[in-house]
Amino acid sequence: ADASNVHLYDSFDESNSEGSFSSRRQGAQLLLRRGRRTTQHLQQRAQHLVQDLKRREEMLQKRGKKIGQLVQREVRQTWLLQQERLVTRSREMTRRLLTGRSRAWRHKWIFALVQADFVASAFWLGRSPETYYMYFTAQICSVLTLKAVDYRVTEQHYFLLDYCFFANLCVLAWLWLCPTSGAAFNAAEGVCGLLSISVVVFRNSCVPHDFVRISNAYVHYPAVVTMLSVKMKCTGDHCMGIEAGRAMLRHLRLRDAWLAYISWAVIYASIIFLLARKRIARKQRDTLYGYFAEKLGFKEKLPKWLRPYSQVIFMLCHQTMFLAGVWWIFLPLWGQCFCTVLALTVFFHNGGRFYVDHFWKAHERNTAQYVDAARLAMCQGDPPLDTAGLNGNGGSATKPSGEVAPAIQELGG
């Protein structure tokens, strides 16, 4: 019995252990299968989430680009509208300024201001020549400011790089920044020769009602007159600067004047012929070189093999003018005064010729209109109409009498 019990127990225990092991093994395999399926499912789900996130990121980027483009378009359109408004307003202002009434009003005020300036300059120069440079400073600063505004409105601002503006700045620099420097005095006095020559060469004219003509003269002769007034009667630091400059050897004085000129030439050539060359050509801006080469036709007058080097020739010719006038610094004071008087004589003569030619042409035109109207009236037997406003009182002219008719026929040729 004991043996059977043991046998039964042992046999039951072995069968029970084998069944539990197999069931555990099956359960483990089932769990592994489920785990693999779960892992694959999670991986697929993670991939789907990653792809979804990428799609959303791409969509957000596209939306951001679209929003950026829309904002950029709106900003650009707003900017273009503002630019168009500014251009429209500037054109409207220019149109108003170019009307006959506006021009007449402007010419009257400019004429009055220029005449007042002539009187004030003459009085100050005679009363206190040692302080005349103060008046010159206020005068040239006003002129340069007005020229800058005028050139900006007319889109000719590259003319502000011309030598005459640089020369006035050299004079102002010596008068106010370094009055005791001999080198600065030589540079300031070295510009006077070319400024005096420019009055004659560029035909500066005394036309007080025309801002363009009178301002072109103002950037040339007042600086020369100022340097003469300071040398005639100097005070303080200016006397020290004049003595230091004149005490140098001649070649050193020429060096100082020429170095100042070369500094301007390098700046001018770098901007006009290199840095702003494409912009000037694209926007068709006027420059001093363009005025001489294109408008006056000097480039076409050169030989064909020299035309590609017209810019170099222009700078060399300008430097030749400077070298022709740099000897001004070695002239005695009376010689400088004499040359200044000659330049001013040409200045006033050109102004007188302008007015005489203008009014003589107007007189000839009015006379021809009157004669034509009178001859037409004689042919028709009616009084000539005052179409040109020739009789001065706004009425119509009367029929010429028998004594006047032969005279009119004689005038008519």
Coordinates of all heavy atoms in Angstrom, one line a residue, residues 87-122:
V87 N 6.4 110.7 -54.6 CA 6.8 111.2 -56.0 C 5.7 112.1 -56.5 O 5.9 113.1 -57.2 CB 7.0 109.9 -56.9 CG1 7.1 110.4 -58.3 CG2 8.2 109.2 -56.5
T88 N 4.4 111.7 -56.3 CA 3.3 112.5 -56.8 C 3.3 113.9 -56.1 O 3.1 114.9 -56.8 CB 2.0 111.8 -56.5 OG1 2.0 110.5 -57.1 CG2 0.8 112.6 -57.0
R89 N 3.6 113.9 -54.8 CA 3.6 115.2 -54.1 C 4.8 116.1 -54.6 O 4.7 117.3 -54.8 CB 3.8 115.0 -52.6 CG 2.5 114.4 -52.0 CD 2.7 114.2 -50.5 NE 1.5 113.6 -49.9 CZ 1.4 113.3 -48.6 NH1 2.5 113.4 -47.8 NH2 0.3 112.7 -48.1
S90 N 6.0 115.4 -54.8 CA 7.1 116.2 -55.3 C 6.9 116.7 -56.7 O 7.2 117.8 -57.0 CB 8.4 115.3 -55.3 OG 8.2 114.2 -56.2
R91 N 6.2 115.9 -57.6 CA 5.9 116.3 -58.9 C 4.9 117.5 -58.9 O 5.0 118.4 -59.7 CB 5.4 115.2 -59.8 CG 6.4 114.2 -60.1 CD 5.8 113.0 -60.9 NE 6.8 112.0 -61.3 CZ 6.5 110.9 -61.9 NH1 5.3 110.6 -62.2 NH2 7.5 110.0 -62.2
E92 N 3.9 117.4 -58.0 CA 2.9 118.4 -57.9 C 3.6 119.7 -57.4 O 3.3 120.8 -57.9 CB 1.8 118.0 -56.9 CG 0.7 119.0 -56.7 CD -0.1 119.3 -58.0 OE1 -0.1 118.4 -58.9 OE2 -0.7 120.3 -58.1
M93 N 4.5 119.6 -56.4 CA 5.2 120.8 -55.9 C 6.1 121.4 -57.0 O 6.2 122.6 -57.2 CB 6.1 120.4 -54.7 CG 6.8 121.5 -54.0 SD 7.7 121.0 -52.6 CE 6.4 120.4 -51.6
T94 N 6.8 120.5 -57.8 CA 7.6 121.0 -58.9 C 6.8 121.6 -59.9 O 7.2 122.7 -60.5 CB 8.4 119.8 -59.5 OG1 9.2 119.1 -58.5 CG2 9.3 120.3 -60.6
R95 N 5.6 121.1 -60.2 CA 4.7 121.7 -61.2 C 4.3 123.1 -60.8 O 4.2 124.0 -61.6 CB 3.5 120.8 -61.5 CG 2.6 121.3 -62.6 CD 1.4 120.4 -62.7 NE 0.6 120.5 -61.5 CZ -0.3 121.6 -61.2 NH1 -0.4 122.6 -62.1 NH2 -1.0 121.6 -60.1
R96 N 4.0 123.2 -59.5 CA 3.5 124.5 -59.0 C 4.7 125.5 -59.0 O 4.5 126.7 -59.3 CB 3.0 124.3 -57.6 CG 1.7 123.6 -57.5 CD 1.2 123.5 -56.0 NE 0.0 122.7 -55.9 CZ -0.7 122.5 -54.8 NH1 -0.1 122.9 -53.6 NH2 -1.8 121.8 -54.8
L97 N 5.9 125.0 -58.7 CA 7.0 125.9 -58.7 C 7.4 126.3 -60.1 O 8.0 127.4 -60.3 CB 8.2 125.2 -58.0 CG 8.1 125.0 -56.5 CD1 9.3 124.2 -56.0 CD2 8.0 126.3 -55.8
L98 N 7.0 125.5 -61.1 CA 7.4 125.9 -62.5 C 6.3 126.7 -63.2 O 6.5 127.1 -64.3 CB 7.6 124.6 -63.3 CG 8.9 123.8 -62.9 CD1 8.9 122.5 -63.7 CD2 10.1 124.6 -63.0
T99 N 5.2 127.0 -62.5 CA 4.2 127.8 -63.1 C 4.7 129.3 -63.2 O 5.6 129.7 -62.5 CB 2.9 127.8 -62.3 OG1 3.2 128.2 -60.9 CG2 2.3 126.4 -62.3
G100 N 4.1 130.0 -64.1 CA 4.6 131.4 -64.3 C 4.5 132.3 -63.0 O 5.4 133.0 -62.7
R101 N 3.4 132.2 -62.3 CA 3.3 133.0 -61.1 C 4.3 132.6 -60.0 O 4.9 133.5 -59.4 CB 1.9 132.9 -60.6 CG 1.6 133.8 -59.4 CD 0.1 133.6 -58.9 NE -0.8 134.1 -60.0 CZ -2.1 134.0 -59.9 NH1 -2.7 133.5 -58.8 NH2 -2.9 134.4 -60.9
S102 N 4.5 131.3 -59.8 CA 5.5 130.9 -58.8 C 6.9 131.3 -59.2 O 7.7 131.8 -58.4 CB 5.4 129.4 -58.7 OG 4.2 129.0 -58.2
R103 N 7.2 131.2 -60.5 CA 8.6 131.6 -61.0 C 8.7 133.1 -60.8 O 9.8 133.5 -60.4 CB 8.8 131.2 -62.4 CG 9.2 129.8 -62.6 CD 9.6 129.5 -64.0 NE 8.5 129.7 -64.9 CZ 8.6 129.7 -66.3 NH1 9.8 129.4 -66.8 NH2 7.6 129.9 -67.0
A104 N 7.7 133.9 -61.1 CA 7.9 135.3 -61.0 C 8.0 135.7 -59.5 O 8.9 136.5 -59.2 CB 6.6 136.0 -61.5
W105 N 7.3 135.1 -58.6 CA 7.4 135.3 -57.2 C 8.8 134.9 -56.7 O 9.4 135.7 -56.0 CB 6.3 134.6 -56.4 CG 6.4 134.7 -55.0 CD1 5.9 135.7 -54.2 CD2 7.1 133.8 -54.1 NE1 6.1 135.5 -52.9 CE2 6.9 134.3 -52.7 CE3 7.8 132.7 -54.2 CZ2 7.4 133.7 -51.6 CZ3 8.3 132.0 -53.1 CH2 8.1 132.6 -51.8
R106 N 9.3 133.8 -57.1 CA 10.6 133.3 -56.7 C 11.7 134.2 -57.2 O 12.7 134.5 -56.5 CB 10.8 131.9 -57.2 CG 12.0 131.2 -56.6 CD 12.0 129.7 -56.9 NE 12.1 129.4 -58.4 CZ 11.0 128.9 -59.0 NH1 9.9 128.7 -58.4 NH2 11.1 128.7 -60.3
H107 N 11.6 134.6 -58.5 CA 12.6 135.4 -59.1 C 12.7 136.8 -58.4 O 13.8 137.4 -58.2 CB 12.4 135.6 -60.6 CG 12.6 134.4 -61.4 ND1 12.3 134.3 -62.7 CD2 13.2 133.2 -61.0 CE1 12.6 133.1 -63.1 NE2 13.2 132.4 -62.1
K108 N 11.5 137.3 -58.0 CA 11.5 138.6 -57.3 C 12.2 138.5 -56.0 O 13.0 139.4 -55.6 CB 10.1 139.1 -57.1 CG 9.4 139.5 -58.4 CD 7.9 139.9 -58.2 CE 7.2 140.2 -59.5 NZ 5.8 140.5 -59.3
W109 N 11.9 137.5 -55.2 CA 12.5 137.4 -53.9 C 14.0 137.1 -54.0 O 14.8 137.6 -53.2 CB 11.8 136.3 -53.1 CG 10.6 136.8 -52.4 CD1 9.3 136.6 -52.8 CD2 10.6 137.6 -51.2 NE1 8.5 137.2 -51.9 CE2 9.2 137.8 -50.9 CE3 11.6 138.1 -50.4 CZ2 8.8 138.6 -49.8 CZ3 11.2 138.9 -49.3 CH2 9.8 139.1 -49.0
I110 N 14.4 136.2 -54.9 CA 15.9 136.0 -55.1 C 16.6 137.2 -55.5 O 17.7 137.5 -55.0 CB 16.0 134.8 -56.1 CG1 15.5 133.5 -55.6 CG2 17.5 134.7 -56.5 CD1 15.5 132.4 -56.5
F111 N 16.0 138.0 -56.4 CA 16.6 139.2 -56.8 C 16.8 140.2 -55.7 O 17.9 140.8 -55.5 CB 15.7 139.9 -57.9 CG 16.3 141.2 -58.5 CD1 17.2 141.1 -59.5 CD2 16.0 142.4 -57.9 CE1 17.8 142.3 -60.0 CE2 16.5 143.6 -58.4 CZ 17.4 143.5 -59.5
A112 N 15.8 140.3 -54.8 CA 15.9 141.2 -53.6 C 16.9 140.7 -52.7 O 17.7 141.5 -52.1 CB 14.5 141.3 -53.0
L113 N 17.0 139.4 -52.4 CA 18.0 138.8 -51.5 C 19.4 139.0 -52.0 O 20.3 139.3 -51.2 CB 17.7 137.4 -51.2 CG 16.4 137.1 -50.4 CD1 16.2 135.6 -50.4 CD2 16.5 137.6 -49.0
V114 N 19.6 138.8 -53.3 CA 20.9 138.9 -53.9 C 21.4 140.4 -53.8 O 22.6 140.7 -53.5 CB 21.0 138.4 -55.3 CG1 22.3 138.7 -56.0 CG2 20.7 136.9 -55.3
Q115 N 20.5 141.3 -54.1 CA 20.9 142.7 -54.0 C 21.2 143.1 -52.6 O 22.2 143.9 -52.3 CB 19.7 143.6 -54.5 CG 19.4 143.4 -56.0 CD 20.6 143.8 -56.9 OE1 21.4 144.7 -56.6 NE2 20.8 143.0 -57.9
A116 N 20.4 142.6 -51.6 CA 20.7 142.9 -50.2 C 22.1 142.3 -49.8 O 22.8 142.9 -49.1 CB 19.6 142.3 -49.3
D117 N 22.4 141.1 -50.4 CA 23.7 140.5 -50.1 C 24.8 141.3 -50.7 O 25.9 141.4 -50.0 CB 23.7 139.1 -50.7 CG 25.1 138.4 -50.5 OD1 25.4 138.1 -49.4 OD2 25.7 138.2 -51.6
F118 N 24.7 141.8 -51.9 CA 25.7 142.7 -52.4 C 26.0 143.9 -51.5 O 27.2 144.2 -51.3 CB 25.3 143.2 -53.8 CG 25.4 142.1 -54.9 CD1 24.8 142.3 -56.1 CD2 26.1 140.9 -54.7 CE1 24.8 141.3 -57.1 CE2 26.2 140.0 -55.7 CZ 25.6 140.1 -56.9
V119 N 24.9 144.5 -51.1 CA 25.1 145.7 -50.2 C 25.8 145.3 -48.9 O 26.7 146.0 -48.4 CB 23.7 146.4 -50.0 CG1 23.9 147.5 -49.0 CG2 23.2 146.9 -51.3
A120 N 25.3 144.2 -48.3 CA 25.8 143.8 -47.0 C 27.3 143.4 -47.1 O 28.1 143.7 -46.3 CB 25.0 142.7 -46.4
S121 N 27.6 142.7 -48.2 CA 29.0 142.2 -48.4 C 29.9 143.4 -48.6 O 31.0 143.5 -48.0 CB 29.1 141.3 -49.6 OG 28.3 140.1 -49.4
A122 N 29.5 144.4 -49.4 CA 30.3 145.6 -49.7 C 30.6 146.4 -48.4 O 31.7 146.8 -48.1 CB 29.7 146.5 -50.7

